[in-house]
Amino acid sequence: MNVHELLRLLQTEHDETAARADNLREQIERLTTALAETEARLAELAATRKVIDGLTPPNHATAPAETATVYQRIVTTFNEHPGRVFRVRDLHEHLGLPTDEPSINVTRSRLGRLVRQGLLEQPGRGRYKKRT
């Protein structure tokens, strides 16, 4: 094998490898575009799900969403009556919730969280009102 033949074989392999690299770059470009489109679609689906979850009536909600619904009902009550001070039992009666002691304690915990989050204030022991 002489030098000219070796150079020709080397050039052939170089050309084939360069063509393969170009092909791979085109595939990467197509996959990058497809990935961006797929990620955008995933974001749209997540937003749609969030909107639908917000519109779903409480009787179709799952257990964790029911808890969120109770929180929402509590916050809505305080928003509708911004100056009113509620005792836990009065709030239960207003919302039509059971007034047994375990239920009252659960709501007391919820109200405590809302106070810590800054949505409500506690003007006196066992009394809650919307923070202004």
Side-chain angles (χ1 to χ4, degrees):
M1 179 182 285
N2 64 25
V3 174
H4 292 293
E5 192 175 319
L6 184 60
L7 287 174
R8 186 183 55 76
L9 288 173
L10 186 60
Q11 184 62 45
T12 302
E13 186 172 343
H14 177 271
D15 293 344
E16 289 171 358
T17 303
R20 184 165 185 253
D22 288 340
N23 185 20
L24 290 171
R25 283 187 199 96
E26 289 172 6
Q27 286 180 21
I28 289 170
E29 187 176 329
R30 283 193 309 272
L31 289 172
T32 301
T33 301
L35 177 60
E37 291 169 353
T38 302
E39 287 176 338
R41 181 64 179 149
L42 281 172
E44 290 171 356
L45 291 170
T48 302
R49 181 182 184 101
K50 186 175 181 180
V51 168
I52 291 172
D53 283 345
L55 298 174
T56 304
N59 60 346
H60 296 297
T62 59
E66 287 175 7
T67 301
T69 302
V70 172
Y71 272 106
Q72 186 58 47
R73 289 177 62 200
I74 291 170
V75 171
T76 299
T77 299
F78 280 100
N79 286 338
E80 290 173 350
H81 307 283
R84 182 171 172 188
V85 176
F86 284 95
R87 294 183 77 74
V88 180
R89 189 169 303 277
D90 298 336
L91 182 63
H92 265 248
E93 289 172 1
H94 181 80
L95 294 173
L97 297 172
T99 55
D100 59 288
E101 208 48 44
S103 297
I104 296 284
N105 287 335
V106 169
T107 299
R108 193 172 283 119
S109 294
R110 289 176 175 148
L111 292 171
R113 284 186 207 110
L114 292 170
V115 167
R116 287 190 297 277
Q117 291 172 356
L119 297 171
L120 302 178
E121 59 184 36
Q122 199 170 1
R125 185 167 181 236
R127 299 176 186 275
Y128 301 88
K129 74 176 212 172
K130 179 173 173 58
R131 181 175 225 153
T132 54

